[in-house]
Structure formats: C-alpha cells, structure tokens
Amino acid sequence: MNKNNSKMNFLSVRGGANHNRGALSAVMVDALSIVNNFYQTSPYVAAALTCGTKACAADYVAQKRAPTSGNIDAARTIAFLVYGAIYQGMAQEFIYNHLYPLWFGTESTVAVVLKKVFFDLLIQTTLVTLPIAYLTKAAIYRHSPQQGLGRYWHDIWENGLLTKYFLLWGPVQCITFSIVPEHLRVSFIAVVSFFWLIVLSTVSARPQGNSTEKVSVAKETVLPEDDSSLVNER
C-alpha cells in the first residue's frame, strides 16, 4: 500500500512539473509571438528602440572596458544613441527592407545577395554609414564637419577601421540577406552590431599622438587631442 501511495505521489509531482513546464512554454511562445508581431506591425518604432538601446549599451561597455576608464562620458554615449536610433534603426529599416528590394530584387539567390552585400560594404558603408557616425559625434561635441570627417579619414588610414568593418560585416550581411526574415533583419544586425559598436567606439576614441608621419589631411583636420570626448579612451 505504501509503495502504491509513493508511486502515485511521484506521478502526481511529475505530472505537476510537466504541467508547469508546459504553461511556461506557452507563455514564452505567446511572448515571442507578441514581440514578432510588434516588429512586423511597427517596424520603425521597433528598429529605433532596438538600435538606440543597443548603441547606447555598446558605447557604455566600450567606455567601461577602456584601460583608463573613469566617469562615463554621457555626451559620447548620447552620440551613439542618436546614431543608433535614427540611422542604424529607422534609416536602415527603410534602406534594407524598402530600397534594396527595389534596386536589387527580393530573391535570395547568390547573385542578388552578393549585389546587396557589395553595395552595402563598398558604397553605403564607406560613403554613408560611417561618415554619419563621425559627423554625429562631431555635432554632439560642437566640432566642425571637417573635423569629424578628418577623424574618419584618420581612423581609416591609421586604425584600420574599414578592414575591421569588412571582415565582420561581409559574412554577417551574407546571412542577413539570405536567411534572416525581412522584418527581423534590422534586429539581427543590431545584435551583431552591439559587438561591432564596441570596436567602433573604442577606435574612434583612440589617442592620435603627434607623429609627423601621419597623413597630412588627417593631421590638419582631426579633433584636438585635448578633447577627451572623442580622442582619449576613458
């Protein structure tokens, strides 16, 4: 009798545990469905929230991990927040999910994917994406556009900015345009971009020194070295 009661109690507990797991799974499925629906029905709001939060968090981590980390530079973080929400969020939602399909097609063939990836890396990134990031930070700190672009030019030649970008985003964008559903592309990019922006914010805050061997245009237009907001790591 005792054995039968123990077995029944065990089965009862096991059944309760299975029921709880099933209920938890149902809640998770419902939550994911709500999130997925939000990204489908409100793509620009979702993109701005996701990318703005990601950019802000990435720069915060980059500042905290700097060797000379001290107080958080709020203005620098705001610059990345603005850049993330407006450009990497809403603008890229429009570019990737509206313009690219018009320009290159909606298929996921190798030819179409490669066209999108090469255009993204060689044209959009070089002439639009990264310059906007540097101009945004320059505006936040009340520097001239020439100084912001001078810093961009310097980081290309001295800090290998484009090499780092291409090595990361070449493979990632192949996945983006071939596998990831359209309404989740900006979010997928945001996840990877979280780690990329740590690199970008660190590179853009790297000291430049006074070497006379630097490229002349960069030496003349880069941000002042006593301006720790963009040049010195914290």
Side-chain angles (χ1 to χ4, degrees):
M1 184 69 177
N2 290 333
K3 290 183 178 180
N4 290 335
N5 288 336
S6 297
K7 185 175 181 179
M8 290 178 64
N9 289 335
F10 172 76
L11 293 176
S12 177
V13 171
R14 184 177 180 182
N18 289 335
H19 175 74
N20 291 335
R21 283 197 294 270
L24 180 61
S25 298
V27 170
M28 292 179 64
V29 169
D30 289 341
L32 290 175
S33 177
I34 292 173
V35 171
N36 185 66
N37 183 66
F38 174 63
Y39 276 86
Q40 285 183 311
T41 58
S42 304
Y44 290 100
V45 176
L49 289 175
T50 301
C51 295
T53 301
K54 168 265 303 176
C56 183
D59 188 60
Y60 175 83
V61 172
Q63 292 193 52
K64 294 298 289 185
R65 65 191 283 267
T68 57
S69 178
N71 295 328
I72 294 298
D73 188 339
R76 171 178 149 176
T77 301
I78 289 172
F80 272 98
L81 173 64
V82 173
Y83 169 66
I86 295 179
Y87 179 74
Q88 291 206 336
M90 293 184 292
Q92 288 198 349
E93 168 66 30
F94 179 73
I95 292 170
Y96 289 143
N97 293 332
H98 295 276
L99 293 183
Y100 274 28
L102 291 175
W103 294 344
F104 307 110
T106 59
E107 300 85 359
S108 297
T109 62
V110 173
V112 171
V113 170
L114 289 180
K115 287 179 183 178
K116 292 179 179 180
V117 171
F118 279 108
F119 183 87
D120 179 58
L121 296 182
L122 300 179
I123 305 299
Q124 183 176 325
T125 291
T126 306
L127 301 180
V128 180
T129 300
L130 293 178
I132 285 178
Y134 281 80
L135 289 172
T136 298
K137 293 184 73 175
I140 288 291
Y141 292 107
R142 299 181 181 179
H143 294 297
S144 68
Q146 184 184 19
Q147 288 176 307
L149 293 177
R151 180 70 205 190
Y152 173 50
W153 184 260
H154 173 270
D155 284 342
I156 290 175
W157 287 99
E158 299 294 328
N159 296 328
L161 181 64
L162 291 182
T163 300
K164 293 181 176 70
Y165 193 102
F166 293 161
L167 289 175
L168 172 64
W169 288 105
V172 170
Q173 293 299 68
C174 286
I175 296 174
T176 300
F177 296 122
S178 62
I179 298 176
V180 179
E182 183 176 291
H183 68 286
L184 295 178
R185 284 176 180 171
V186 173
S187 300
F188 172 74
I189 292 171
V191 172
V192 181
S193 184
F194 176 81
F195 299 100
W196 160 245
L197 278 177
I198 293 175
V199 176
L200 176 60
S201 60
T202 301
V203 167
S204 67
R206 184 169 296 170
Q208 293 180 218
N210 295 313
S211 173
T212 58
E213 297 179 358
K214 291 183 178 180
V215 180
S216 58
V217 64
K219 188 171 66 174
E220 294 172 358
T221 60
V222 290
L223 299 174
E225 292 190 356
D226 60 355
D227 184 353
S228 60
S229 60
L230 283 180
V231 178
N232 298 316
E233 293 182 343
R234 286 186 174 270

